[in-house]
Short mmCIF file of all heavy atoms in Angstrom, two decimals:
data_model
loop_
_atom_site.label_atom_id
_atom_site.label_comp_id
_atom_site.label_asym_id
_atom_site.label_seq_id
_atom_site.Cartn_x
_atom_site.Cartn_y
_atom_site.Cartn_z
N ALA L 31 45.63 -58.60 5.32
CA ALA L 31 46.67 -59.42 5.97
C ALA L 31 48.02 -58.82 5.82
O ALA L 31 48.93 -59.11 6.69
CB ALA L 31 46.62 -60.75 5.35
N LEU L 32 48.28 -58.03 4.82
CA LEU L 32 49.58 -57.44 4.67
C LEU L 32 49.39 -55.87 4.55
O LEU L 32 48.46 -55.35 3.86
CB LEU L 32 50.20 -57.74 3.26
CG LEU L 32 51.46 -57.16 2.92
CD1 LEU L 32 52.67 -57.69 3.80
CD2 LEU L 32 51.89 -57.38 1.41
N ASP L 33 50.12 -55.24 5.51
CA ASP L 33 49.96 -53.78 5.63
C ASP L 33 51.37 -53.36 5.91
O ASP L 33 51.75 -53.32 7.07
CB ASP L 33 48.92 -53.49 6.54
CG ASP L 33 48.57 -51.91 6.63
OD1 ASP L 33 49.19 -51.22 5.90
OD2 ASP L 33 47.65 -51.62 7.34
N VAL L 34 52.12 -52.73 5.01
CA VAL L 34 53.40 -52.41 5.17
C VAL L 34 53.90 -50.99 4.84
O VAL L 34 53.28 -50.42 3.86
CB VAL L 34 54.49 -53.35 4.39
CG1 VAL L 34 54.29 -54.70 4.99
CG2 VAL L 34 54.19 -53.38 2.89
N LYS L 35 54.77 -50.41 5.46
CA LYS L 35 55.33 -49.07 5.17
C LYS L 35 56.56 -49.43 4.35
O LYS L 35 57.30 -50.48 4.49
CB LYS L 35 55.78 -48.29 6.47
CG LYS L 35 54.70 -47.88 7.22
CD LYS L 35 55.16 -46.99 8.43
CE LYS L 35 53.95 -46.52 9.29
NZ LYS L 35 54.47 -45.84 10.45
N LEU L 36 56.79 -48.58 3.36
CA LEU L 36 57.96 -48.81 2.47
C LEU L 36 58.96 -47.66 2.60
O LEU L 36 58.56 -46.51 2.55
CB LEU L 36 57.45 -48.83 1.03
CG LEU L 36 56.44 -50.02 0.69
CD1 LEU L 36 55.82 -49.76 -0.68
CD2 LEU L 36 57.00 -51.37 0.86
N ASN L 37 60.19 -48.02 2.65
CA ASN L 37 61.28 -47.13 2.53
C ASN L 37 62.54 -47.77 1.88
O ASN L 37 62.71 -49.00 1.88
CB ASN L 37 61.67 -46.61 3.98
CG ASN L 37 60.89 -45.41 4.33
OD1 ASN L 37 60.83 -44.39 3.69
ND2 ASN L 37 59.98 -45.47 5.32
N PRO L 38 63.44 -47.01 1.38
CA PRO L 38 64.59 -47.54 0.73
C PRO L 38 65.65 -48.40 1.53
O PRO L 38 65.55 -47.96 2.78
CB PRO L 38 65.33 -46.38 0.01
CG PRO L 38 64.35 -45.21 0.20
CD PRO L 38 63.42 -45.51 1.28
N PRO L 39 66.21 -49.28 1.02
CA PRO L 39 67.21 -50.10 1.82
C PRO L 39 68.15 -49.06 2.37
O PRO L 39 68.70 -48.09 1.69
CB PRO L 39 67.82 -51.00 0.84
CG PRO L 39 66.89 -51.04 -0.42
CD PRO L 39 66.10 -49.72 -0.35
N GLY L 40 68.60 -49.20 3.56
CA GLY L 40 69.73 -48.37 4.17
C GLY L 40 69.26 -47.04 4.63
O GLY L 40 70.04 -46.24 5.14
N SER L 41 67.93 -46.66 4.52
CA SER L 41 67.49 -45.35 4.77
C SER L 41 67.42 -45.10 6.32
O SER L 41 67.37 -44.03 6.63
CB SER L 41 66.02 -45.05 4.13
OG SER L 41 65.09 -45.77 4.80
N GLY L 42 67.27 -46.19 7.07
CA GLY L 42 67.15 -46.05 8.49
C GLY L 42 65.75 -45.73 9.00
O GLY L 42 65.36 -45.72 10.15
N LYS L 43 64.82 -45.55 7.88
CA LYS L 43 63.48 -45.30 8.23
C LYS L 43 62.53 -46.57 8.43
O LYS L 43 63.01 -47.62 7.94
CB LYS L 43 62.77 -44.50 7.00
CG LYS L 43 63.42 -43.18 6.84
CD LYS L 43 62.81 -42.40 5.56
CE LYS L 43 63.50 -41.19 5.29
NZ LYS L 43 62.99 -40.55 4.05
N ALA L 44 61.56 -46.48 9.18
CA ALA L 44 60.75 -47.65 9.45
C ALA L 44 60.14 -48.15 8.07
O ALA L 44 59.79 -47.47 7.29
CB ALA L 44 59.64 -47.28 10.45
N GLY L 45 60.07 -49.42 8.00
CA GLY L 45 59.38 -50.10 6.88
C GLY L 45 60.36 -51.07 6.29
O GLY L 45 61.41 -51.27 6.49
N THR L 46 59.78 -51.68 5.19
CA THR L 46 60.50 -52.58 4.41
C THR L 46 60.79 -52.16 3.02
O THR L 46 60.40 -50.92 2.80
CB THR L 46 59.61 -54.04 4.39
OG1 THR L 46 60.49 -54.96 3.74
CG2 THR L 46 58.47 -53.85 3.64
N ASN L 47 61.13 -52.98 2.09
CA ASN L 47 61.52 -52.46 0.80
C ASN L 47 61.09 -53.62 -0.16
O ASN L 47 60.92 -54.82 0.15
CB ASN L 47 62.90 -52.09 0.57
CG ASN L 47 63.81 -53.16 0.86
OD1 ASN L 47 64.04 -54.04 0.25
ND2 ASN L 47 64.61 -52.88 2.06
N PRO L 48 60.89 -53.38 -1.42
CA PRO L 48 60.54 -54.36 -2.34
C PRO L 48 61.48 -55.62 -2.48
O PRO L 48 61.02 -56.69 -2.68
CB PRO L 48 60.43 -53.72 -3.74
CG PRO L 48 60.18 -52.24 -3.40
CD PRO L 48 60.99 -52.07 -2.10
N GLU L 49 62.81 -55.38 -2.32
CA GLU L 49 63.74 -56.51 -2.40
C GLU L 49 63.52 -57.43 -1.16
O GLU L 49 63.53 -58.69 -1.30
CB GLU L 49 65.08 -55.98 -2.29
CG GLU L 49 65.52 -55.15 -3.58
CD GLU L 49 64.90 -53.89 -3.68
OE1 GLU L 49 64.63 -53.09 -2.62
OE2 GLU L 49 64.50 -53.38 -4.80
N GLN L 50 63.15 -56.91 0.10
CA GLN L 50 62.93 -57.77 1.16
C GLN L 50 61.61 -58.59 0.99
O GLN L 50 61.46 -59.84 1.27
CB GLN L 50 62.76 -56.99 2.47
CG GLN L 50 64.15 -56.50 2.95
CD GLN L 50 64.02 -55.65 4.24
OE1 GLN L 50 63.02 -54.94 4.41
NE2 GLN L 50 65.04 -55.59 4.99
N LEU L 51 60.52 -57.95 0.41
CA LEU L 51 59.39 -58.68 0.01
C LEU L 51 59.47 -59.73 -0.97
O LEU L 51 58.93 -60.82 -0.82
CB LEU L 51 58.28 -57.57 -0.26
CG LEU L 51 57.81 -56.60 0.72
CD1 LEU L 51 57.01 -55.48 0.13
CD2 LEU L 51 57.12 -57.26 1.90
N PHE L 52 60.27 -59.33 -2.00
CA PHE L 52 60.65 -60.45 -2.97
C PHE L 52 61.38 -61.62 -2.33
O PHE L 52 61.14 -62.76 -2.58
CB PHE L 52 61.41 -59.75 -4.17
CG PHE L 52 61.58 -60.61 -5.37
CD1 PHE L 52 60.58 -60.71 -6.34
CD2 PHE L 52 62.66 -61.48 -5.52
CE1 PHE L 52 60.65 -61.54 -7.40
CE2 PHE L 52 62.76 -62.22 -6.70
CZ PHE L 52 61.75 -62.33 -7.53
N ALA L 53 62.37 -61.21 -1.53
CA ALA L 53 63.15 -62.36 -0.90
C ALA L 53 62.33 -63.31 0.02
O ALA L 53 62.44 -64.54 -0.09
CB ALA L 53 64.28 -61.79 0.00
N VAL L 54 61.37 -62.61 0.75
CA VAL L 54 60.58 -63.60 1.60
C VAL L 54 59.51 -64.38 0.78
O VAL L 54 59.26 -65.53 1.08
CB VAL L 54 59.84 -62.85 2.71
CG1 VAL L 54 58.69 -61.96 2.29
CG2 VAL L 54 59.49 -63.73 3.85
N GLY L 55 59.05 -63.81 -0.27
CA GLY L 55 58.16 -64.43 -1.17
C GLY L 55 58.79 -65.56 -1.93
O GLY L 55 58.24 -66.66 -1.96
N TYR L 56 59.96 -65.27 -2.43
CA TYR L 56 60.65 -66.39 -3.19
C TYR L 56 61.13 -67.58 -2.30
O TYR L 56 60.86 -68.76 -2.57
CB TYR L 56 61.86 -65.85 -3.82
CG TYR L 56 62.52 -66.57 -5.02
CD1 TYR L 56 63.33 -66.05 -5.92
CD2 TYR L 56 62.21 -67.92 -5.21
CE1 TYR L 56 63.84 -66.78 -6.97
CE2 TYR L 56 62.77 -68.73 -6.19
CZ TYR L 56 63.51 -68.11 -7.08
OH TYR L 56 64.12 -68.74 -8.21
N SER L 57 61.54 -67.24 -1.07
CA SER L 57 62.05 -68.36 -0.15
C SER L 57 60.84 -69.10 0.35
O SER L 57 60.93 -70.41 0.48
CB SER L 57 62.94 -67.72 0.98
OG SER L 57 62.15 -66.82 1.76
N ALA L 58 59.80 -68.45 0.68
CA ALA L 58 58.58 -69.16 1.17
C ALA L 58 58.05 -70.12 0.06
O ALA L 58 57.71 -71.35 0.19
CB ALA L 58 57.50 -68.24 1.72
N CYS L 59 58.01 -69.55 -1.21
CA CYS L 59 57.43 -70.27 -2.34
C CYS L 59 58.42 -71.54 -2.61
O CYS L 59 58.02 -72.61 -3.01
CB CYS L 59 57.36 -69.28 -3.55
SG CYS L 59 56.53 -70.04 -4.99
N PHE L 60 59.71 -71.30 -2.44
CA PHE L 60 60.60 -72.37 -2.78
C PHE L 60 60.45 -73.51 -1.78
O PHE L 60 60.46 -74.66 -2.18
CB PHE L 60 62.04 -71.85 -2.88
CG PHE L 60 63.00 -72.79 -3.56
CD1 PHE L 60 63.13 -72.55 -4.93
CD2 PHE L 60 63.73 -73.82 -2.94
CE1 PHE L 60 63.92 -73.53 -5.68
CE2 PHE L 60 64.54 -74.62 -3.53
CZ PHE L 60 64.74 -74.49 -4.96
N ILE L 61 60.20 -73.27 -0.55
CA ILE L 61 59.94 -74.27 0.37
C ILE L 61 58.66 -75.03 0.03
O ILE L 61 58.59 -76.29 0.21
CB ILE L 61 59.87 -73.68 1.82
CG1 ILE L 61 61.28 -73.37 2.29
CG2 ILE L 61 59.34 -74.79 2.76
CD1 ILE L 61 61.32 -72.58 3.62
N GLY L 62 57.66 -74.29 -0.36
CA GLY L 62 56.47 -74.86 -0.88
C GLY L 62 56.72 -75.90 -2.01
O GLY L 62 56.19 -76.91 -2.10
N ALA L 63 57.62 -75.40 -2.88
CA ALA L 63 57.83 -76.22 -4.05
C ALA L 63 58.71 -77.52 -3.62
O ALA L 63 58.41 -78.60 -4.17
CB ALA L 63 58.79 -75.41 -5.20
N LEU L 64 59.53 -77.43 -2.73
CA LEU L 64 60.30 -78.56 -2.15
C LEU L 64 59.28 -79.58 -1.68
O LEU L 64 59.34 -80.65 -1.95
CB LEU L 64 61.25 -78.04 -1.06
CG LEU L 64 62.49 -77.23 -1.43
CD1 LEU L 64 63.15 -76.65 -0.25
CD2 LEU L 64 63.52 -78.08 -2.20
N LYS L 65 58.32 -79.09 -0.89
CA LYS L 65 57.38 -79.94 -0.27
C LYS L 65 56.38 -80.67 -1.38
O LYS L 65 55.97 -81.81 -1.21
CB LYS L 65 56.46 -79.34 0.75
CG LYS L 65 57.37 -78.86 2.07
CD LYS L 65 56.49 -78.12 2.98
CE LYS L 65 57.39 -77.83 4.16
NZ LYS L 65 56.61 -77.00 5.20
N ALA L 66 56.16 -79.82 -2.38
CA ALA L 66 55.20 -80.40 -3.51
C ALA L 66 55.92 -81.45 -4.31
O ALA L 66 55.31 -82.42 -4.75
CB ALA L 66 54.80 -79.18 -4.42
N VAL L 67 57.24 -81.33 -4.58
CA VAL L 67 57.81 -82.27 -5.40
C VAL L 67 58.46 -83.48 -4.59
O VAL L 67 58.80 -84.44 -5.24
CB VAL L 67 58.98 -81.63 -6.21
CG1 VAL L 67 58.51 -80.59 -7.21
CG2 VAL L 67 60.23 -81.19 -5.40
N ALA L 68 58.60 -83.32 -3.32
CA ALA L 68 59.22 -84.45 -2.54
C ALA L 68 58.55 -85.84 -2.72
O ALA L 68 59.41 -86.79 -2.91
CB ALA L 68 59.12 -84.03 -0.97
N PRO L 69 57.31 -86.02 -2.78
CA PRO L 69 56.79 -87.34 -3.05
C PRO L 69 57.06 -87.90 -4.39
O PRO L 69 57.29 -88.98 -4.60
CB PRO L 69 55.23 -87.20 -2.90
CG PRO L 69 55.08 -85.91 -2.11
CD PRO L 69 56.27 -85.14 -2.40
N LYS L 70 57.23 -86.97 -5.40
CA LYS L 70 57.54 -87.38 -6.79
C LYS L 70 58.93 -87.89 -6.97
O LYS L 70 59.16 -88.68 -7.74
CB LYS L 70 57.12 -86.22 -7.73
CG LYS L 70 55.74 -85.84 -7.75
CD LYS L 70 55.43 -84.56 -8.55
CE LYS L 70 54.11 -84.19 -8.36
NZ LYS L 70 53.83 -82.82 -8.49
N VAL L 71 59.84 -87.24 -6.13
CA VAL L 71 61.23 -87.70 -6.26
C VAL L 71 61.73 -88.64 -5.12
O VAL L 71 62.85 -89.10 -5.07
CB VAL L 71 62.22 -86.46 -6.32
CG1 VAL L 71 61.92 -85.59 -7.56
CG2 VAL L 71 62.16 -85.70 -5.01
N GLY L 72 60.74 -89.03 -4.23
CA GLY L 72 61.05 -89.92 -3.22
C GLY L 72 62.01 -89.45 -1.99
O GLY L 72 62.63 -90.30 -1.42
N VAL L 73 61.84 -88.24 -1.85
CA VAL L 73 62.70 -87.64 -0.78
C VAL L 73 61.85 -86.89 0.22
O VAL L 73 60.92 -86.14 -0.24
CB VAL L 73 63.72 -86.71 -1.26
CG1 VAL L 73 64.54 -86.06 -0.23
CG2 VAL L 73 64.77 -87.36 -2.29
N LYS L 74 61.90 -87.18 1.51
CA LYS L 74 61.15 -86.63 2.52
C LYS L 74 61.84 -85.21 3.00
O LYS L 74 63.04 -85.15 3.12
CB LYS L 74 61.05 -87.29 3.83
CG LYS L 74 60.12 -86.60 4.87
CD LYS L 74 60.11 -87.47 6.15
CE LYS L 74 59.21 -86.94 7.22
NZ LYS L 74 59.52 -85.46 7.48
N VAL L 75 61.02 -84.15 2.86
CA VAL L 75 61.64 -82.78 3.31
C VAL L 75 61.76 -82.82 4.73
O VAL L 75 60.73 -83.02 5.54
CB VAL L 75 60.68 -81.62 2.74
CG1 VAL L 75 61.15 -80.38 3.28
CG2 VAL L 75 60.57 -81.70 1.22
N PRO L 76 63.01 -82.48 5.18
CA PRO L 76 63.18 -82.32 6.75
C PRO L 76 62.16 -81.30 7.34
O PRO L 76 61.86 -80.21 6.67
CB PRO L 76 64.53 -81.96 6.93
CG PRO L 76 65.21 -82.03 5.66
CD PRO L 76 64.18 -82.15 4.51
N ASP L 77 61.81 -81.47 8.63
CA ASP L 77 60.92 -80.44 9.29
C ASP L 77 61.60 -79.21 9.50
O ASP L 77 60.95 -78.14 9.51
CB ASP L 77 60.44 -81.11 10.63
CG ASP L 77 59.51 -82.22 10.56
OD1 ASP L 77 58.80 -82.38 9.52
OD2 ASP L 77 59.43 -83.05 11.48
N ASP L 78 62.88 -79.24 9.60
CA ASP L 78 63.69 -77.91 9.72
C ASP L 78 64.16 -77.45 8.54
O ASP L 78 65.23 -76.64 8.61
CB ASP L 78 64.67 -78.15 10.85
CG ASP L 78 65.71 -79.34 10.78
OD1 ASP L 78 65.32 -80.08 9.77
OD2 ASP L 78 66.59 -79.47 11.44
N VAL L 79 63.56 -77.65 7.45
CA VAL L 79 63.96 -76.98 6.19
C VAL L 79 64.05 -75.43 6.25
O VAL L 79 63.16 -74.91 6.97
CB VAL L 79 63.12 -77.50 4.96
CG1 VAL L 79 61.67 -77.04 5.17
CG2 VAL L 79 63.55 -76.93 3.66
N ALA L 80 65.02 -74.89 5.63
CA ALA L 80 65.06 -73.39 5.68
C ALA L 80 65.70 -72.93 4.34
O ALA L 80 66.55 -73.58 3.80
CB ALA L 80 65.84 -72.97 6.85
N VAL L 81 65.22 -71.63 4.04
CA VAL L 81 65.79 -71.07 2.73
C VAL L 81 66.11 -69.60 3.20
O VAL L 81 65.29 -68.88 3.63
CB VAL L 81 64.84 -71.18 1.55
CG1 VAL L 81 65.53 -70.28 0.42
CG2 VAL L 81 64.59 -72.52 1.12
N ASP L 82 67.44 -69.20 3.06
CA ASP L 82 67.83 -67.91 3.35
C ASP L 82 67.94 -67.26 1.90
O ASP L 82 68.78 -67.80 1.05
CB ASP L 82 69.20 -67.90 3.97
CG ASP L 82 69.05 -68.37 5.47
OD1 ASP L 82 68.05 -68.01 6.19
OD2 ASP L 82 69.95 -69.16 5.87
N ALA L 83 67.26 -66.21 1.73
CA ALA L 83 67.19 -65.57 0.44
C ALA L 83 67.93 -64.23 0.44
O ALA L 83 67.75 -63.41 1.38
CB ALA L 83 65.81 -65.37 0.02
N LYS L 84 68.75 -64.00 -0.55
CA LYS L 84 69.40 -62.66 -0.71
C LYS L 84 68.97 -62.12 -2.12
O LYS L 84 69.02 -62.85 -3.10
CB LYS L 84 70.93 -62.84 -0.75
CG LYS L 84 71.56 -63.29 0.57
CD LYS L 84 73.06 -63.56 0.50
CE LYS L 84 73.51 -64.19 1.61
NZ LYS L 84 75.05 -64.69 1.47
N VAL L 85 68.50 -60.95 -1.99
CA VAL L 85 68.05 -60.30 -3.22
C VAL L 85 68.81 -59.01 -3.41
O VAL L 85 68.63 -58.18 -2.50
CB VAL L 85 66.55 -59.85 -3.30
CG1 VAL L 85 66.10 -59.05 -4.60
CG2 VAL L 85 65.64 -61.32 -3.31
N SER L 86 69.61 -58.94 -4.31
CA SER L 86 70.58 -57.81 -4.58
C SER L 86 70.09 -56.84 -5.67
O SER L 86 69.49 -57.25 -6.59
CB SER L 86 71.94 -58.23 -4.98
OG SER L 86 72.50 -59.06 -3.90
N LEU L 87 70.14 -55.53 -5.32
CA LEU L 87 69.64 -54.47 -6.18
C LEU L 87 70.88 -53.69 -6.74
O LEU L 87 71.75 -53.41 -5.90
CB LEU L 87 68.72 -53.58 -5.46
CG LEU L 87 68.34 -52.34 -6.15
CD1 LEU L 87 67.38 -52.62 -7.36
CD2 LEU L 87 67.65 -51.36 -5.17
N GLY L 88 71.02 -53.30 -7.99
CA GLY L 88 72.07 -52.61 -8.46
C GLY L 88 71.77 -52.12 -9.79
O GLY L 88 70.91 -52.52 -10.57
N PRO L 89 72.62 -51.18 -10.23
CA PRO L 89 72.53 -50.56 -11.70
C PRO L 89 72.94 -51.58 -12.74
O PRO L 89 73.90 -52.40 -12.44
CB PRO L 89 73.47 -49.48 -11.62
CG PRO L 89 74.44 -49.53 -10.52
CD PRO L 89 73.81 -50.46 -9.56
N THR L 90 72.38 -51.50 -13.82
CA THR L 90 72.83 -52.26 -15.09
C THR L 90 73.02 -51.29 -16.22
O THR L 90 72.62 -50.29 -16.17
CB THR L 90 71.83 -53.46 -15.37
OG1 THR L 90 70.58 -52.78 -15.73
CG2 THR L 90 71.46 -54.27 -14.19
N HIS L 91 73.43 -51.92 -17.27
CA HIS L 91 73.59 -51.22 -18.62
C HIS L 91 74.22 -49.81 -18.43
O HIS L 91 73.70 -48.78 -18.75
CB HIS L 91 72.13 -51.00 -19.26
CG HIS L 91 71.48 -52.32 -19.47
ND1 HIS L 91 71.95 -53.34 -20.11
CD2 HIS L 91 70.29 -52.77 -18.93
CE1 HIS L 91 71.01 -54.36 -20.10
NE2 HIS L 91 70.15 -54.05 -19.38
N GLY L 92 75.35 -49.81 -17.63
CA GLY L 92 76.16 -48.53 -17.38
C GLY L 92 75.34 -47.64 -16.54
O GLY L 92 75.60 -46.51 -16.69
N GLY L 93 74.44 -48.03 -15.77
CA GLY L 93 73.69 -47.17 -14.87
C GLY L 93 72.34 -46.66 -15.48
O GLY L 93 71.74 -45.88 -14.88
N ALA L 94 72.04 -47.16 -16.63
CA ALA L 94 70.88 -46.71 -17.35
C ALA L 94 69.64 -47.35 -16.85
O ALA L 94 68.48 -46.87 -17.01
CB ALA L 94 71.01 -46.96 -18.87
N ALA L 95 69.68 -48.47 -16.05
CA ALA L 95 68.65 -49.25 -15.54
C ALA L 95 69.03 -49.90 -14.25
O ALA L 95 70.17 -49.67 -13.90
CB ALA L 95 68.18 -50.28 -16.64
N PHE L 96 68.09 -50.56 -13.67
CA PHE L 96 68.45 -51.23 -12.44
C PHE L 96 67.92 -52.67 -12.51
O PHE L 96 66.94 -52.90 -13.25
CB PHE L 96 67.75 -50.64 -11.07
CG PHE L 96 68.32 -49.27 -10.64
CD1 PHE L 96 67.96 -48.11 -11.28
CD2 PHE L 96 69.34 -49.28 -9.78
CE1 PHE L 96 68.48 -46.87 -10.90
CE2 PHE L 96 70.10 -48.10 -9.42
CZ PHE L 96 69.56 -46.95 -10.01
N GLY L 97 68.61 -53.51 -11.83
CA GLY L 97 68.18 -55.05 -11.86
C GLY L 97 68.39 -55.51 -10.49
O GLY L 97 68.85 -54.93 -9.62
N ILE L 98 67.94 -56.84 -10.37
CA ILE L 98 68.13 -57.68 -9.17
C ILE L 98 68.85 -58.97 -9.48
O ILE L 98 68.72 -59.48 -10.60
CB ILE L 98 66.74 -57.86 -8.37
CG1 ILE L 98 65.82 -58.64 -9.27
CG2 ILE L 98 66.16 -56.61 -7.92
CD1 ILE L 98 64.50 -59.09 -8.53
N ALA L 99 69.38 -59.58 -8.43
CA ALA L 99 69.94 -60.93 -8.57
C ALA L 99 69.48 -61.60 -7.30
O ALA L 99 69.46 -60.98 -6.21
CB ALA L 99 71.41 -60.80 -8.71
N VAL L 100 69.36 -62.90 -7.41
CA VAL L 100 68.92 -63.72 -6.22
C VAL L 100 69.92 -64.80 -5.88
O VAL L 100 70.44 -65.50 -6.78
CB VAL L 100 67.58 -64.34 -6.54
CG1 VAL L 100 67.11 -65.21 -5.44
CG2 VAL L 100 66.50 -63.30 -6.77
#
Side-chain angles (χ1 to χ4, degrees):
L32 178 69
D33 190 356
V34 295
K35 291 180 181 182
L36 300 169
N37 273 302
S41 70
K43 297 177 182 175
T46 188
N47 59 68
E49 293 73 34
Q50 288 176 333
L51 294 169
F52 191 85
V54 76
Y56 200 159
S57 58
C59 190
F60 201 86
I61 291 173
L64 290 166
K65 291 177 179 180
V67 300
K70 296 173 185 152
V71 298
V73 177
K74 183 184 179 312
V75 175
D77 291 337
D78 51 352
V79 59
V81 175
D82 294 319
K84 297 176 186 171
V85 175
S86 300
L87 170 70
T90 64
H91 307 301
F96 287 88
I98 60 172
V100 173

